[in-house]
């Protein structure tokens, strides 16, 4: 659909997109693994070949965002560079080369009456992805949906409008090359927010799942208004706990990376918890390393007494996803106290423990109810690509169907195939 066509009423435009998506879903559901692999391989090549056009489109988006006075963290999420385009290309290639999940047998067994039962993977159908500033979501979501046999409707934010269109053009090259209809992947051609509302209603039953990728306000709206299932996390309120047995070098390097590698992503650490027994040895070096990288410290009374540069942490700080170079720091009595703090404040996204005590680690792993738990590793590994999924369409913190990074397998459902030889039920 062209931008000119988007001048029609939003309800009309979105209804057509929904109908077209169902056409695309039917085509993808029966597409061969080779077709899907070729579509993504060609798309990756097109993104690489047209990087100048993509960067030029992104420059328009960046200029407009800067003129609005958008935050530094937001600008970082929006920005594309040659290195980031390299990452997009590699992600699409990796997804292309993943085993095709559709038709794979998850389990099979025989019944005493001779029936043979198989549980096999099937596509979900049509996936609606609503995202804000990250242009890479356009390629990641498109590639993951195509690989998993799902049509996708992409509704990017106005801030990434030009970047997303440039990337979608490359994805469509791949569909053409593989003989698949362009309806398999559609980008909503309007920045009118009414389009989001239409998607949340389900487009007359044509959307099967909604995936929001963005800030708390967007995700909260989706969860409140959606009339179809949602894969989502409300926010990434991520904790790092330094246990009394923590190796100092690991504690410093992992915490620094967890907070400062990229402060605006959902896996960035927002709260640091330090065991009281290592305050004298570990707190100072960790905080010094963070401050040296430009991180603001907000601490409890004990931290304030030891760190002159620290600001007092309020109750709201323990509940805040900063998405910036700020971290809240608290001293806790033991691993149980750390777990209690996490249980009270966490968004159940990602948490890490730095410890050499395997009993403490097991307690942390068993009792912390978050989608992703790490031991002696940065929370910034909370990413589908790092899990070997090739990328992710989002991270789900709910407990139904999918949890953690949502990759190719998580974008499937299943059906039962039962083979008999004339059996009837008495």
């Amino acid at each position: 659909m062209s931008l000119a066509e988007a001048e029609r009423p939003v309800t009309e435009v979105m209804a057509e997109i929904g109908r077209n998506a169902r056409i695309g879903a039917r085509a993808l559901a029966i597409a061969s693994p080779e077709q899907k692999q070729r579509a993504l391989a060609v798309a990756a090549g097109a993104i690489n070949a047209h990087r100048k056009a993509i960067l030029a489109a992104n420059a328009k988006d960046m200029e407009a965002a800067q003129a609005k006075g958008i935050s530094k963290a937001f600008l970082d999420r929006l920005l594309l560079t040659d290195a980031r385009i390299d990452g997009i290309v590699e992600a699409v290639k990796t997804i292309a080369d993943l085993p095709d999940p559709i038709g794979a047998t998850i389990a099979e067994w025989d019944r005493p009456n001779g029936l043979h039962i198989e549980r096999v993977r099937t596509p979900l159908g049509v996936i609606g992805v609503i995202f804000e500033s990250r242009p890479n979501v356009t390629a990641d979501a498109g590639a993951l949906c195509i690989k998993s046999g799902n049509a996708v409707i992409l509704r990017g934010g106005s801030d990434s409008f030009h970047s997303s269109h440039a990337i979608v053009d490359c994805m469509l090259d791949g569909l053409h090359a593989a003989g698949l209809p362009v309806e398999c992947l559609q980008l909503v051609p309007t920045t009118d927010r009414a389009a989001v509302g239409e998607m949340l209603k389900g487009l007359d039953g044509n959307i099967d799942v909604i995936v929001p990728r963005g800030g708390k306000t967007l995700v909260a709206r989706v969860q409140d208004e959606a009339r179809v299932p949602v894969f989502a996390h409300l926010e990434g309120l991520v904790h790092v706990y330094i246990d009394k047995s923590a190796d100092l070098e690991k504690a410093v390097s992992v915490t620094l990376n967890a907070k400062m590698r990229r402060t605006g992503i959902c896996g960035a650490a927002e709260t640091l918890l330090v065991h009281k027994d290592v305050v004298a040895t570990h707190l100072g070096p960790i905080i010094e390393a963070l401050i040296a990288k430009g991180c603001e410290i907000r601490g409890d009374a004990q931290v304030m007494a030891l760190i002159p540069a620290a600001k007092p942490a309020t109750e709201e700080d323990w509940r805040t996803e900063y998405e910036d170079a700020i971290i809240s720091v608290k001293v806790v009595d033991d691993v149980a106290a750390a777990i209690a703090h996490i249980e009270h404040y966490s968004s159940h996204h990602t948490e890490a423990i730095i410890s050499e005590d395997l009993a403490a680690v097991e307690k942390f792993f068993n009792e912390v109810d978050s989608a992703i738990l790490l031991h002696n590793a940065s929370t910034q590994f909370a990413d589908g690509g790092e899990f070997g999924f090739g990328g992710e369409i989002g991270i789900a913190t709910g407990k139904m169907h999918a949890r953690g990074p949502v990759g190719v397998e998580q974008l499937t459902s299943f059906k039962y195939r039962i083979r008999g030889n004339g059996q009837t039920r008495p």
Side-chain angles (χ1 to χ4, degrees):
M1 185 179 295
S2 69
L3 290 175
E5 288 177 291
E7 296 302 318
R8 293 182 293 155
V10 170
T11 53
E12 184 180 317
V13 171
M14 297 307 296
E16 182 178 338
I17 286 175
R19 292 192 296 270
N20 288 341
R22 191 55 64 185
I23 294 170
R26 287 196 291 269
L28 275 173
I30 60 173
S32 68
E34 292 75 21
Q35 276 183 292
K36 290 181 280 185
Q37 197 279 339
R38 175 162 172 71
L40 297 182
V42 172
I47 293 169
N48 187 51
H50 295 97
R51 67 173 57 219
K52 288 185 178 179
I54 295 170
L55 289 172
N58 183 247
K60 291 182 182 179
D61 289 334
M62 288 293 293
E63 183 179 357
Q66 288 167 341
K68 293 179 185 177
I70 298 295
S71 72
K72 184 178 178 181
F74 187 99
L75 290 173
D76 178 65
R77 292 193 294 273
L78 176 61
L79 177 65
L80 288 177
T81 63
D82 271 312
R84 290 186 180 181
I85 290 180
D86 288 342
I88 292 171
V89 170
E90 288 306 310
V92 175
K93 286 181 178 178
T94 299
I95 295 167
D97 293 336
L98 290 172
D100 194 292
I102 302 305
T105 300
I106 303 169
E108 57 182 320
W109 60 94
D110 293 307
R111 297 293 295 146
N113 60 6
L115 291 177
H116 181 74
I117 302 177
E118 301 172 325
R119 185 188 302 133
V120 299
R121 292 195 186 279
T122 60
L124 292 171
V126 177
I127 298 174
V129 183
I130 302 170
F131 60 101
E132 291 179 333
S133 59
R134 296 181 189 273
N136 66 292
V137 174
T138 309
D140 287 349
L144 287 165
C145 288
I146 291 168
K147 186 69 179 185
S148 55
N150 297 291
V152 60
I153 299 171
L154 298 165
R155 200 287 183 180
S158 59
D159 296 292
S160 59
F161 192 72
H162 297 96
S163 306
S164 294
H165 272 278
I167 293 171
V168 163
D169 286 344
C170 298
M171 301 297 291
L172 295 181
D173 286 349
L175 292 174
H176 283 301
L180 291 169
V182 294
E183 289 84 0
C184 295
L185 186 153
Q186 299 177 86
L187 181 67
V188 174
T190 175
T191 59
D192 191 326
R193 293 190 177 187
V196 173
E198 293 300 311
M199 290 179 69
L200 297 180
K201 294 175 187 176
L203 300 183
D204 298 321
N206 284 312
I207 291 183
D208 296 289
V209 177
I210 290 283
V211 181
R213 288 286 301 269
K216 187 173 182 178
T217 301
L218 168 66
V219 178
R221 179 189 176 189
V222 170
Q223 292 180 323
D224 287 343
E225 298 181 20
R227 298 295 177 261
V228 293
V230 175
F231 292 164
H233 70 270
L234 190 58
E235 56 189 336
L237 191 52
V238 174
H239 298 76
V240 175
Y241 165 58
I242 309 299
D243 189 43
K244 66 178 180 179
S245 66
D247 175 86
L248 177 58
E249 184 177 348
K250 291 176 188 176
V252 173
S253 63
V254 170
T255 304
L256 186 63
N257 185 267
K259 176 70 248 185
M260 298 302 293
R261 174 185 166 269
R262 289 187 68 183
T263 60
I265 67 173
C266 61
E270 308 294 4
T271 296
L272 174 66
L273 304 172
V274 182
H275 193 293
K276 65 179 182 180
D277 290 356
V278 293
V279 167
T281 55
H282 289 47
L283 182 64
I286 294 171
I287 299 303
E288 287 172 9
L290 288 167
I291 291 174
K293 290 293 184 179
C295 186
E296 178 182 313
I297 310 300
R298 298 183 184 178
D300 67 2
Q302 288 182 264
V303 173
M304 289 285 294
L306 295 168
I307 308 297
K311 297 180 180 180
T314 66
E315 174 65 19
E316 187 62 25
D317 283 305
W318 311 121
R319 304 179 184 278
T320 299
E321 181 184 19
Y322 297 112
E323 296 184 326
D324 202 350
I326 306 169
I327 193 167
S328 54
V329 186
K330 182 178 183 179
V331 176
V332 294
D333 288 342
D334 51 25
V335 65
I339 292 169
H341 179 98
I342 292 168
E343 176 62 24
H344 187 71
Y345 293 104
S346 175
S347 60
H348 305 292
H349 187 294
T350 298
E351 328 293 350
I353 178 173
I354 313 302
S355 175
E356 301 302 314
D357 180 354
L358 294 184
V361 174
E362 288 307 304
K363 181 177 179 66
F364 190 88
F365 276 11
N366 290 335
E367 297 184 24
V368 176
D369 186 24
S370 294
I372 303 169
L373 302 173
L374 300 108
H375 171 217
N376 288 350
S378 171
T379 58
Q380 302 230 356
F381 283 110
D383 174 87
E386 295 297 329
F387 278 37
F389 296 170
E392 68 184 37
I393 201 169
I395 291 181
T397 54
K399 298 183 182 180
M400 300 299 289
H401 183 80
R403 198 176 195 203
V406 179
V408 168
E409 288 189 0
Q410 290 74 29
L411 293 176
T412 64
S413 183
F414 57 82
K415 62 185 175 184
Y416 291 97
R417 299 192 303 207
I418 303 173
R419 305 180 190 277
N421 188 31
Q423 289 91 336
T424 59
R425 184 172 178 176

